[in-house]
């Protein structure tokens, strides 16, 4: 674990990786605490009404062992994909730990996904089991026949047609399970992520991914003492950010994590939660922080005295929000950068003297990060280039699921090329510049245009569709769709709203186009590819 130091050079000098030959996330995150202190709180489950109930490490160990036994009895074993489609709750952790114990692969799926997004991810991954709730079952019901690999469905809301009851499964299974003997490079989890081209790809990670996150976690959260505090994020634990910047490393360090069902992000409610529960550490994406800025005098209105640190990632924070947090909250935000494939490689931390408005920070000790030109040479001071991470690195994924060529294309001379552009200032601080491709960054979500266009084309009125990012003060970008209608359909606000609702329902509530424009034709290359740049620039 990274220990606090007064400056970045001292942090780097004092660090070396310690990756054991045999390693399993479940043993490291849960059993290390459950064995000596079974009653220690791991998760604080908070109901929608605000009632808080602690769930201990001992309970997580027992329930995950029971679930592993139940899944094994139903034919699930090493290498199988186990989807987790649940809002923040102890059951999410139980399902992940059960997958790791089995040597299987946990496949977290966000609650905002619609049926089409779920169908694609469950089919592409060949998921064999899913742990979900009644809301998840309702989305799975119409696509169930299209999922031949899926043969175990477990619902935390009790048995129903085609689903077994989570609590009954646990009650019937043994609480003892011999955790699979895994190595650090054995697959543990897979998170789907969008790219510039094609549909989302499964980024497969080995068990080592957790160890790889610990130094960055320590830095961005300002070196929490082992075994203390309380962590909260509104981010769904299904994203790399929620899962690996927050949930798993916090549990590994003995810091309990708040589990609260996600609803629409409400700034006042967020401050109230921090005050009522005495949250010490929060992970709030820049969009959430920009929403919080709308609350006047938060420290006078809410008791935020327990809050020691806010960490942020997923999109550039910007100097204004950085300054607001210092003024309004008295906190210096720990910003961090990473991607689902290679996460938490840059971070800032006031206590280590690494904090500068407008900068994401410096390389986290243990990761070699460079800003490279197209010819592979390092850029000069203040010259923009592509952020690259040297392989091997414990946070670097094992590859895209079933797509070795797509994986190979993202490496150059042993460097993972992120596709993100940044510059380094004279003191070594990295400043995020942006992207020069079609990937959309909205509210810390990485959104590929293809999946949206694919969805829109299924709407009966749509002949052609293109999705681009439109700059937005709150969400960095919003998704804007340009649509050419089929003959017989007439452009109108009602039709635009209908197309938006269609994308929300079938694809996802976070990927739907917040603006729809109707065009007679889309700008195309001679080979028939949409020129999205012209749509972005308004030159189409
Ligand atoms: C490695 C890394 O990249 S780290 C970062 C990883 N990224 C993340 O974790 C994503 C972080 N972002 C978020 O968590 C959120 O966007 C927030 C907290 C910033 C803002 O949340 P919100 O504005 O409430 O909603 P969000 O952007 O998630 O969702 C979009 C839509 O879903 C809707 N929605 C949210 N929750 C629900 C729900 N439970 N049921 C139905 N709809 C919902 C919202 O109403 C919103 O639609 P609208 O604005 O048209 O009303």
């Amino acid at each position: 674990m990274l220990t606090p130091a007064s400056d970045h050079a001292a942090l780097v000098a004092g660090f070396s990786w310690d990756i054991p030959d045999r390693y399993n996330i479940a043993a490291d995150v849960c059993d290390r605490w459950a064995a000596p202190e079974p009653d220690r709180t791991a998760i604080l489950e908070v109901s929608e009404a605000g009632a808080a109930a602690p769930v201990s490490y001992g309970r997580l160990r027992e329930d995950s062992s029971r679930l592993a036994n139940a899944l094994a009895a139903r034919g699930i074993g090493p290498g199988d994909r186990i989807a987790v489609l649940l809002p923040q709750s102890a059951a999410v952790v139980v399902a992940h730990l059960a997958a790791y114990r089995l040597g299987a692969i946990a496949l977290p799926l966000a609650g905002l996904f619609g049926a089409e997004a779920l169908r694609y991810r469950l089919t592409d991954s060949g998921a064999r089991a899913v742990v979900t709730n009644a809301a998840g079952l309702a989305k799975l019901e119409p696509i169930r026949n299209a999922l031949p690999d899926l043969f175990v469905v477990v619902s935390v809301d009790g048995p129903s047609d085609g689903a077994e009851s989570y609590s009954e499964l646990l009650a019937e299974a043994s609480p003892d399970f011999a955790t699979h003997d895994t190595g650090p490079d054995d697959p543990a989890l897979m998170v789907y992520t969008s790219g510039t081209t094609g549909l989302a790809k499964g980024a497969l990670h080995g068990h080592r991914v957790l160890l790889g996150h610990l130094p960055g976690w320590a830095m961005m959260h300002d070196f929490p003492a082992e075994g203390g505090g309380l962590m909260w994020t509104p981010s769904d634990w299904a994203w790399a950010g929620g899962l690996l910047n927050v949930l798993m490393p916090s549990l590994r360090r003995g810091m309990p994590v708040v589990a609260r069902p996600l609803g629409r992000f409400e700034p006042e409610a967020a401050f109230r939660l921090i005050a009522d529960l005495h949250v010490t550490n929060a992970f709030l994406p820049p969009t959430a922080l920009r929403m919080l800025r709308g609350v006047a005098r938060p420290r006078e209105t809410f008791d935020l005295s327990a809050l020691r640190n806010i960490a942020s990632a997923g999109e550039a924070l910007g100097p204004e929000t950085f300054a607001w947090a210092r003024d309004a909250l008295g906190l210096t935000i720990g910003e961090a950068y990473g991607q689902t494939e290679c996460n938490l490689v840059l971070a800032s931390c006031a206590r280590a003297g690494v904090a500068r408005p407008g900068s994401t920070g410096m390389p986290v000790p243990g990761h070699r990060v460079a800003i490279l030109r197209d010819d592979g040479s390092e850029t000069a001071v203040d010259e923009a280039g592509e952020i690259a991470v040297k392989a091997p690195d414990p946070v670097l994924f094992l590859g895209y699921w079933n797509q070795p060529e797509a994986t190979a294309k993202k490496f150059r001379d042993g460097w993972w090329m992120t596709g993100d552009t940044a510059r380094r200032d004279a003191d070594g601080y990295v400043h995020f510049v942006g992207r020069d491709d079609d990937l959309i960054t909205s509210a810390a979500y990485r959104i590929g245009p293809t999946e949206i266009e694919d969805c829109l084309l299924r709407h009966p009125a749509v002949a052609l569709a293109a999705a681009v990012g439109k700059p937005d003060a709150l969400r960095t970008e919003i998704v804007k769709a340009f649509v050419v209608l089929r003959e017989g359909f007439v452009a109108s606000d009602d039709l635009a709203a209908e197309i938006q609702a269609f994308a929300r329902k079938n694809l996802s509530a976070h990927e739907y186009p917040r603006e729809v424009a109707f065009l007679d034709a889309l700008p195309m290359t001679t080979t028939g590819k949409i020129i999205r740049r012209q749509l972005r620039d308004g030159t189409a």
Side-chain angles (χ1 to χ4, degrees), residues 112 234-236 239-242 245 262-265 283 285 287-288 291 313-315 338-340 343 442-445 475 504 509-510 512 514:
L112 291 181
S235 292
D236 195 324
W239 306 115
N245 290 358
L262 301 171
R264 227 204 126 105
F265 184 79
F283 174 75
T287 295
M291 292 176 174
E315 54 194 320
Q339 298 181 323
T340 301
N343 190 23
S442 182
Y445 299 113
R475 294 176 179 266
R504 273 183 85 112
H510 73 285
Y512 82 98
R514 284 171 189 269

Side-chain angles (χ1 to χ4, degrees), residues 1 54 118:
M1 176 49 82
L118 292 173

Side-chain angles (χ1 to χ4, degrees), residues 130-155:
V130 61
V131 184
T132 188
N133 59 4
L137 287 179
K139 289 182 193 172
L140 292 177
E141 205 267 326
I143 56 170
R144 193 66 195 270
N145 289 340
L147 305 171
D149 297 317
L150 186 70
F151 63 92
V152 180
V153 178
V154 182
S155 170

Side-chain angles (χ1 to χ4, degrees), residues 32-33 40-41 57 226-229 249-256:
R32 68 184 343 254
W33 293 102
R40 169 188 273 277
T41 299
Y57 281 90
E226 186 163 74
S250 304
L251 292 178
R252 158 65 165 69
R253 289 286 288 171
M255 179 186 267

